[in-house]
Amino acid sequence: IYKVVLQRAAGPVVVFDDTAGKVIDLKTLRDTTGARFAFLSSKSVPQDSYTSVDVTVDPTMTLFPKNSATGSPFVLADSVPRDGSGHAVISHTFSPAKTLGVRDDVVVDFDLGNFTISGGPCSMPT
């Protein structure tokens, strides 16, 4: 993950930014005891109404089949928007908008239970 940005009418709020990127093993973020978290940032955000979140990731990820120690590279579809460095930008719109304050936590969850690959590059749901 390279960047996480919350969008609002007054302009974007960058809550995480790492030009080298941070590798996250998404599978380790849930186990039989429940949800786990990888903390990327402890930034405060201005109290405001936020309309969406953008998560910038590498366009290639490594996928590990269930019960396998060997992963394979997998490229996100060209239809997933890219930033100026070629990184994929995954966006999620809040419906309705979310009002956040300085003490609210923002959690971005990748739903691996519903992640599927079907005949080619992965595209992200809107």
Side-chain angles (χ1 to χ4, degrees):
I1 295 177
Y2 293 96
K3 188 183 276 190
V4 178
V5 180
L6 290 168
Q7 300 292 340
R8 62 187 177 141
V13 175
V14 177
V15 294
F16 174 77
D17 192 4
D18 183 341
T19 56
K22 179 160 176 78
V23 175
I24 302 290
D25 180 350
L26 297 176
K27 186 176 183 290
T28 64
L29 299 181
R30 174 165 287 282
D31 64 16
T32 57
T33 64
R36 298 181 175 276
F37 303 93
F39 294 100
L40 296 177
S41 172
S42 60
K43 275 186 140 174
S44 294
V45 298
Q47 186 169 354
D48 208 339
S49 179
Y50 293 86
T51 57
S52 64
V53 62
D54 299 332
V55 180
T56 303
V57 299
D58 199 272
T60 302
M61 57 181 81
T62 303
L63 301 181
F64 291 83
K66 188 173 185 174
N67 300 320
S68 176
T70 304
S72 300
F74 190 77
V75 179
L76 293 172
D78 291 336
S79 60
V80 177
R82 303 291 201 267
D83 69 6
S85 298
H87 301 125
V89 181
I90 302 167
S91 296
H92 176 73
T93 300
F94 305 135
S95 181
K98 306 284 185 200
T99 300
L100 300 174
V102 293
R103 290 197 164 39
D104 291 321
D105 294 327
V106 176
V107 177
V108 177
D109 181 22
F110 290 83
D111 187 0
L112 294 183
N114 290 311
F115 186 90
T116 61
I117 301 171
S118 179
C122 178
S123 59
M124 306 310 280
T126 55

